[in-house]
Amino acid sequence: KAGVTQTPRYLIKTRGQQVTLSCSPISGHRSVSWYQQTPGQGLQFLFEYFSETQRNKGNFPGRFSGRQFSNSRSEMNVSTLELGDSALYLCASSLEGVNSPLHFGNGTRLTVT
Amino acid sequence: GQQLNQSPQSMFIQEGEDVSMNCTSSSIFNTWLWYKQDPGEGPVLLIALYKAGELTSNGRLTAQFGITRKDSFLNISASIPSDVGIYFCAGQFPDSGGSNYKLTFGKGTLLTVNP
């Protein structure tokens, strides 16, 4: 069974630009979550999608958004990039249910210059 | 909000030694998870714990869900060089709708194993 796939692996953008990251969950997983990982703040929850609906959102500004498609694939978008947005963005998928742990992809490394 | 205190921050050990790390929280969790992250990769699930007091093993790894539901530990026995990496604990508490989306992560323990 293929794992969570994230594309691209690396991105370099300049301040003010926008970026779109893509995530394909494990087959059969309908919940997709996004996390930001930085050395200073660690892993922080961005948002979660289920059945094309955003169910939950973390404490990030509105520049961070996402969506989920009918095949459960998800994208996240960051607009008006800032230097502080440089991070590893991780996507995780899970089955529905309380005993269904998150499985992570290898992430997209975003560098903003 | 919920926070996890993970310790130690880093460990440098000799191959063959046993390792122990733990996480504590002021909040209770329904699930404790332990992940390992290698450089350039995403976290990989090692062990999942679902009941207070539960003790679970995965090869040389053993983890326990604390009775108070506010702590967990991970032990690695007879360490080998490939155990090198960052180990994260994560607590999970479903929302009222039963969604298990949100993990609260510890800051990680960097493990270095000297051959």
Side-chain angles (χ1 to χ4, degrees), chain B residues 80-109:
Chain B
I80 59 177
S82 62
D83 290 334
V84 165
I86 303 177
Y87 292 80
F88 291 97
C89 63
Q92 195 170 44
F93 196 93
D95 64 15
S96 57
S99 172
N100 62 331
Y101 64 96
K102 184 175 179 180
L103 295 179
T104 300
F105 280 88
K107 294 291 189 185
T109 295

Side-chain angles (χ1 to χ4, degrees), chain B residues 49-113:
Chain B
L49 302 159
Y50 299 111
K51 288 168 36 175
E54 179 181 356
L55 184 71
T56 297
S57 293
N58 177 9
R60 295 178 295 106
L61 278 61
T62 301
Q64 184 158 31
F65 191 142
I67 290 292
T68 65
R69 295 168 62 193
K70 294 182 179 181
D71 63 317
S72 177
F73 73 75
L74 174 70
N75 286 344
I76 305 173
S77 63
S79 59
I80 59 177
S82 62
D83 290 334
V84 165
I86 303 177
Y87 292 80
F88 291 97
C89 63
Q92 195 170 44
F93 196 93
D95 64 15
S96 57
S99 172
N100 62 331
Y101 64 96
K102 184 175 179 180
L103 295 179
T104 300
F105 280 88
K107 294 291 189 185
T109 295
L110 174 62
L111 178 63
T112 303
V113 180

Side-chain angles (χ1 to χ4, degrees), chain A residues 9 31 33 35 37 40-43 45 48 55-56 88 90 94-106, chain B residues 30-31 33 35 37 40-45 48 50 86 88 92 94-95 97-107:
Chain A
R9 287 298 308 273
S31 172
S33 303
Y35 287 77
Q37 186 176 27
Q41 299 298 318
L43 284 142
F45 171 73
E48 185 246 0
R55 287 201 296 195
N56 298 284
L88 180 67
L90 291 161
S94 72
L95 294 168
E96 187 70 345
V98 296
N99 286 354
S100 302
L102 299 188
H103 296 268
F104 286 85
N106 284 332
Chain B
N30 278 5
T31 301
L33 305 167
Y35 289 87
Q37 187 173 25
E41 298 184 6
V44 174
L45 181 67
Y50 299 111
I86 303 177
F88 291 97
Q92 195 170 44
D95 64 15
S99 172
N100 62 331
Y101 64 96
K102 184 175 179 180
L103 295 179
T104 300
F105 280 88
K107 294 291 189 185

Side-chain angles (χ1 to χ4, degrees), chain A residues 14-66:
Chain A
T14 56
R15 278 178 296 177
Q17 287 186 315
Q18 74 161 14
V19 67
T20 300
L21 313 181
S22 180
C23 172
S24 293
I26 292 172
S27 177
H29 287 194
R30 295 167 63 193
S31 172
V32 175
S33 303
W34 289 88
Y35 287 77
Q36 182 195 64
Q37 186 176 27
T38 59
Q41 299 298 318
L43 284 142
Q44 293 189 296
F45 171 73
L46 281 157
F47 29 65
E48 185 246 0
Y49 287 86
F50 181 83
S51 291
E52 303 179 65
T53 301
Q54 185 183 90
R55 287 201 296 195
N56 298 284
K57 193 176 191 304
N59 297 323
F60 279 80
R63 299 185 297 106
F64 291 81
S65 63

Side-chain angles (χ1 to χ4, degrees), chain B residues 1-5 23-32 65-66 68-72 91-93 104:
Chain B
Q2 299 169 324
Q3 292 194 9
L4 291 183
N5 298 310
C23 274
T24 61
S25 172
S26 57
S27 305
I28 62 172
F29 290 102
N30 278 5
T31 301
W32 281 94
F65 191 142
T68 65
R69 295 168 62 193
K70 294 182 179 181
D71 63 317
S72 177
Q92 195 170 44
F93 196 93
T104 300

